[in-house]
Amino acid sequence: MRRSPHLLALLGVGLAGALTLTAAPAAARPTPTATPGIVVVDGMTQPVFSLADAIEERVYVQTTVDTDHDGRLDRVAIDISRPRETATEGFKVPVIFEHSPYRKDVWSDVPYPSVLVDELPQNGVGRRSGQRTSDVTVQRATAKANLPGSLDDYYVPRGYAVVLGQSVGTGDSDGCPTSGDQAETLGTRAVIDWLNGRAKGYDAAGAPVTADWTTGAVGMTGVSYNGTLPNQVAATGVPGLRTIVPVAAISSWYDYYRANGLVVAPGTYQGEDTDVLAGFTAGQTRAEGRCADEIAELTARQDRVTGDYSAFWRDRDHRDARKVRASVLVVHGLNDWNVKTEHFAGWWDELTRHHVPRRIWLHQGGHGGPGNTASVTLPDGRTWTWKQTENRWFDHWLWQVPNGIMDEPTAVVQREDRSYATYANWPDPASREVSLRLAATDATPVGALTSARAPNRAVEHRFVDEGRTIHPDTLVADPGTPSPHRLAYLSPTLTRDVRVSGRPELRLRLAIDNKPDANLSAYLVDYGPAGSTAAPTVVTRGWTDPQNRRSASRTDPLRQGSLYDLRWTLEPKDHVFPAGHRIGLVIFSSDQEYTLLPLGGTRLRVAPHRSELRLPVVGGRTALGF
């Protein structure tokens, strides 16, 4: 990074000397100096620049893509807020950049396909009719449209420029939305290239504009789609992107709309797919007009029939970290069923494999961040809120403030009582896989989970799909009572707390007796003591298509009535089952919240003695206690 003389003076760096930070005492009140520069207290920049006097401007950055195929390279609109000193004093600043497809003109009534089908489409006779789900418009339309906003309110006074961009094909930008592919990625990357002098930018009149006010060091952040774009761009290895803070972010779009060959919705958005999302972000005029053909191509290629992983999804898979140059602070909710937990876990695995500088913050909430005031106490006794942690992270990677944040524990995890704990890594390095066998003494569809050898009895458990009319909450309730529509397996009452950290895996011996295929759903559940009236807690979920038993990329027909061995992981989790509770596994077919919903009557059969649940238990089998 190019260092300005002002920054060198601030940090106490002689032109021939080594870097030494001059930090003010904790109680010191930072004051502006005659020479512009950031002020650091306790390793964190302080608000010393005037937000009221900040410079705000609109720039149109030329990309390298033509997503609407009009023969002209698309330009993306960005809005900038930066300290006035960047113009009056030649003070160069780093950038915090949030790109978004939700800035303006979304299509609130974009039509959704129905998930009610007579038969699963992979059976060859699927049928869909128009239907929309309006919840998405309520949540997504609340995205802030323009500067000023919370990022510039907080960071411009601390010596940063804030850039809010509009994704290609949305808002005031050119082109058509492409829902997570490389064109969208390159449209975002162009902004970082412009900030580093490698791309062209123009004002509204068409005059060239350069970013001569920045050091070129960029950090990206955002929540949901706005956090996904940083993942996508970081995977390209673009120079100048120093760090990203993706919150509740997608890493593989296949995992957002599919699961192991099955068409699966993001939580609360039943029926949504890449084409629906593109129509929403494009806005109705653009979606039904100049981008109609491009969105129709998404509909054709996304394949809601087989659900297979294909070249279409490979173009939207951003988990490869081989090129990543940026550090990464991963933030995710352990109960996020929109952007499910595999998104952070799969990305985290790749970052670890390629030794990318990283930290992770997991909270007990759903789709979003932990909240600015959420706080963690470190082993050395210091306490930091989430917002202070984010601030210190950007300071370290963009202003190169030596605040020791990379010496702190790798993982911060919020526990069930809402307190935060720190760990050496995630999953917990002490996790060990423990096999819990499905035990059954008769054909009643209620069994046990045991870590001992299960009874070698060739009994089979049967259930019938009625997920279209029975909600999962009903299927999960009252596990000791036999139900013809689900299977339930319970552990003994736990004698101690049991923590799982990582990916549960289910290995199931299963047959479908009267159909070519079926949805298959499994829930890991925390049940209270026997006789408890407390509602059970769904710990995690997982879905699979038995036709994709060999690979998510390959559909293999099933022979009706034949048993097959299936193996798949449930969504990653970190959860403590309290002493006195029981671990439960519930298996059923169609899931009202996530899968397509065929007419009922599909008959399924499981061989428990050939099936098992594998849990990542901290401390291994000894810690399990049974």
Side-chain angles (χ1 to χ4, degrees), residues 207-251:
V209 180
T210 61
D212 56 1
W213 41 265
T214 178
T215 64
V218 181
M220 291 189 71
T221 190
V223 179
S224 192
Y225 208 145
N226 301 0
T228 299
L229 294 169
N231 283 345
Q232 293 180 196
V233 175
T236 71
V238 58
L241 182 60
R242 300 296 178 85
T243 192
I244 64 172
V245 182
V247 182
I250 294 168
S251 59

Side-chain angles (χ1 to χ4, degrees), residues 98 100-104 139-153 164-166 226:
E98 182 193 57
S100 176
Y102 300 143
R103 299 280 180 218
K104 61 183 296 188
Q139 178 172 338
R140 288 177 170 158
T142 59
K144 183 173 282 293
N146 297 298
L147 291 172
S150 59
L151 279 176
D152 63 312
D153 289 350
L164 301 186
Q166 301 180 32
N226 301 0

Side-chain angles (χ1 to χ4, degrees), residues 457-516:
R457 299 179 181 178
V459 299
E460 293 181 338
H461 283 168
R462 301 170 186 267
F463 62 105
V464 179
D465 181 20
E466 286 296 341
R468 183 166 177 167
T469 58
I470 303 176
H471 193 273
D473 289 350
T474 301
L475 295 170
V476 165
D478 197 11
T481 301
S483 166
H485 305 302
R486 57 104 163 107
L487 307 180
Y489 301 90
L490 287 174
S491 76
T493 299
L494 301 176
T495 59
R496 64 191 72 174
D497 291 354
V498 173
R499 179 178 166 221
V500 296
S501 179
R503 291 178 179 86
E505 180 185 278
L506 185 56
R507 299 187 177 193
L508 207 62
R509 180 82 165 162
L510 175 135
I512 303 170
D513 286 336
N514 65 331
K515 296 286 184 180

Side-chain angles (χ1 to χ4, degrees), residues 163-207:
V163 173
L164 301 186
Q166 301 180 32
S167 294
V168 67
T170 74
D172 295 329
S173 295
D174 297 335
C176 294
T178 54
S179 295
D181 73 346
Q182 293 302 318
E184 179 182 76
T185 303
L186 293 175
T188 309
R189 172 178 167 146
V191 177
I192 299 171
D193 285 334
W194 175 73
L195 291 166
N196 281 273
R198 299 186 299 267
K200 296 178 180 179
Y202 304 90
D203 64 17

Side-chain angles (χ1 to χ4, degrees), residues 250-264 274 302-303 306-310 312-314 316-319 340 343 545 548 551-554:
I250 294 168
S251 59
S252 165
W253 285 85
Y254 182 84
D255 290 338
Y256 191 60
Y257 289 121
R258 304 289 183 270
N260 303 301
L262 207 62
V263 174
V264 170
T274 63
Q302 67 193 7
D303 179 15
T306 71
D308 289 354
Y309 185 87
S310 62
F312 176 86
W313 297 109
R314 193 174 305 114
R316 292 164 172 79
D317 190 333
H318 307 284
R319 291 172 296 190
K340 303 176 187 73
H343 289 280
D545 183 346
N548 288 84
S551 170
S553 304
R554 174 179 169 183

Side-chain angles (χ1 to χ4, degrees), residues 265-276:
T268 73
Y269 300 118
Q270 266 283 46
E272 184 182 295
D273 218 316
T274 63
D275 55 347
V276 175

